Amino acid sequence: MIIGTAGHIDHGKTALVHALTGVDADRLKEEKARGITIDLGYAYIPLPNGEVLGFVDVPGHEKLIHNMLAGATGIDFVLVVVAADDGVMPQTREHVQILDLLGLDRGAVVMTKVDRVAPGRIDEVAQEIRTLLAGTPLANCPLFPVSSVTGLGVAPLYQYLEGLAERIGARQGPGHFRLAVDRCFTLAGTGTVVTGTAYSGEVRVGDRLLLSPAGIPVRVRGMHVQNRRAELGRGGERCALNLAGVQVSKECIHRGDWIVAPSLHAPCQRMDVRLRLLAGEVKPLHQGMPIHFHLGAADIMGRVTLLEGDTMRPGQEILAQIALNRSTLAQHGDRFVLRDPSARQTIGGGIVLDPHPPARGRRKPARLAALRALETDRPEEALARLLPVAATPLDLTVFQRDWNLRDADAEALWSTVPMVRMQRGESWLGLAFEAWDALGESALAALSGLHQSASDLPGATAAQLRMQLPQRPLLEVLEARLAALRDAGRLARHGPWFHLPGHLPQLTPQDTENWKKMAPLLIADDFQPPRVRDIAQELGMDEKEVRGLLYRVARTGQAFKVAHDHFFPREIVARLATAAEDLGHELADGRFTAAQYRDRIDVGRKLAIQILEFFDRSAFTRRQGNLRSIRQLSEATFGAGGNELQRANQ
C-alpha cells in the first residue's frame, strides 16, 4: 500500500513520516539546509505479513504544488496533515481540493504538534478540519492527534495503518504495465534508474518496454519494488527500474514520462474530458484559456476548449477538450488537475474520457453523445452504450488500448456485447446491429434509385455506391455489408458491379442492333481493337454516334474505355488481365515491366502502356517506378471468366 501526505508547509509532514518509519524523507542537501521539503521524498517500512508500506512525502509550499501533484497521483491512502497551532491554512485547502479532483477517497487526518497547544485548541482545529472536508470523499475519515516530538498518538496511527494494509491488501493492477516516472538518476556501476508508481500490470526483470511519449525501447535490467530488490513489480507499487537500451540515458528521461508495455504507446496532444471547475473560483473559465495540465507526474501547458457552451461557471461540470503544447500519454479514466496559467492556484480537474478524439466535429451532437457514453468505469457498459451512438464503426483495437485491456479480457468483452465485428488491416471494427441493418437498407435503396434513373448501367461498384450514401461509410465496412446482402440473396454481383437481383442493363433496340454490328469488329484483331473513327468508317456511321454508343455499352459492362477513343470488349480486357496475373505469378517478386507485359501480349509498346495505365486507374495493378504488381484479382475487377451481361443483350 502506498500512503501519501498532504498539507501546508511546515505542518510536520516529513517529521510524521520519520516518526512512523524512522526514515528522513528529505534527501536533498537544500531540503536539510532550509528545513523544508522541496521535492518528493520516500520512506518504506516492512509489515509483519511481509508486505511493505510505502510513504510518499510531498512538499507543502504553494510554489511546489507541481511536485505535490507528481507524488499525489497513484497513491492508495492519504494522510491530511494539519498542525494544531496553525489550523487549516491555504495549502491545506488546495491540497484537499487536489485530493478530491484526483478521486482519492481513502485517508485519515493527522493533527500534528498537539504538544504545543491546549486541549481546547485541539477541539477547535478538529472542527475546522471537519468543515473543510465536508462534502468531499474524506468527510468521515478518522482523525489522529499526534506529536512527532513526544511520540504521542504515533503508535495508534501506525497500528491503524498496519491493520488497514492487511484489510485492503495490495491494489490490483489489471491490464498492461504502465509506470509514471517521477525521478530519474544514474548510479555508478548500475546505470540509468527511474522511479515511479506503477499504475497497472506487471513488470519483470528482462521485460522490453517503451519510454513514452518518446517511443524509446528500454529493457528492465533490474528493479527494486517498495525499496526491496525484486524480480516482479505490480500495479499499485513503488518501483525503481534499472533501464538499459541503446538510446537510454538520464538526459532523455524526464519527470512526467511513462514506462509502458509497447501496446500502450500512443502519444496524444488532445483529449476529451469531463471537466470540473472548482466552486471556490472567482472567475468563470472561457474558451481557449491557457492552463497547466497535471496527469501522472507531468506538468504541461495547454488550452481548454469547452464542448458545451462557451463559458464555464464555478462549480460546473461539462465536457471539454484539452489541447497540450507537447505530447503525453493518457488512458480512459485517468484523473488530472488544472492550475491557472501562472501556476499559482488549482482551478479544477476531471477525468479523461477519450485520449484520442477525432480531428473534426468535436461539438456535434453525435460526438457529445459518444463522450457521455464513455462516462463509466466499466468497459462493457461503455461499449454497449457507445456502439448505438457512434457515428462510424468503432475501432475495437483502439478501444482495447485506451482502456488497457489484455487480449483475453478484450475477447471476453467482444463476446459479451452484441455487435458485428469485422477486420480492417490489423484492426478490428465493431458496429451495432441496428447500424449494420440500416447500412444494408440504405445501400439497397440507393441501388434501386440508380436502376430507375440509369437503367443502362450494370449497377455500381462499392466505391461508387459509397458516394451515394449520406453517412459515407468506410469502404471496407460497405464491402462487407454488400457481401452479406449478396450471400442473403438480396443483392447480386457481376464483376465489380453490385445490383439488385434480376436487374440487367438495357440498351435501346436501336443501340442493341448497332452493337451487334460493332462487336465483331472489336474482337477481330484480338488485343488491338480499332479506334472509334475506324469503326465509324467501317460501318458508315457518324463518328460521334459511334462514340456515344460505345460509352453507353461501356456503362452496361460489356466494354471498357482503355484509352481515348479506344474501347475494348469485356472478354478481351479479362484476357489481358489474366495475362498480367500470369506474368506476375511467374516472377519471383511478382513485379513486371511494361516491356515484359508488351512481349507477353504481343502488341506495340504504346498500346501496352495504355493498357497498363488503364489497369492502374482501375486499381487492378499498382505502379512502383517502372514496375507493376497485381493489387486485386481480375475476377473482382473486371469479372474475368464470365460474360453474363453480354449474353443477356445478345
Side-chain angles (χ1 to χ4, degrees), residues 485-544:
L485 289 170
R486 182 187 59 187
D487 293 342
R490 302 186 65 190
L491 201 63
R493 177 176 181 174
H494 290 109
W497 297 283
F498 292 91
H499 58 86
L500 298 180
H503 170 75
L504 293 173
Q506 299 293 327
L507 295 174
T508 66
Q510 185 60 54
D511 280 348
T512 302
E513 188 65 28
N514 288 336
W515 172 238
K516 287 180 179 180
K517 299 175 184 177
M518 197 178 301
L521 300 178
L522 293 175
I523 62 176
D525 290 332
D526 202 11
F527 293 158
Q528 301 186 70
R531 290 185 174 274
V532 169
R533 62 176 179 270
D534 300 324
I535 298 173
Q537 290 175 1
E538 179 71 21
L539 298 179
M541 297 174 61
D542 180 71
E543 184 177 329
K544 184 176 180 182

Side-chain angles (χ1 to χ4, degrees), residues 443-457:
L444 291 172
L447 279 175
S448 177
L450 177 65
H451 294 340
Q452 293 177 19
S453 62
S455 60
D456 58 333
L457 290 178

Side-chain angles (χ1 to χ4, degrees), residues 174-194:
H176 297 283
F177 183 72
R178 191 163 71 121
L179 178 140
V181 177
D182 52 38
R183 288 178 64 203
C184 178
F185 51 90
T186 302
L187 291 178
T190 299
T192 304
V193 177
V194 300

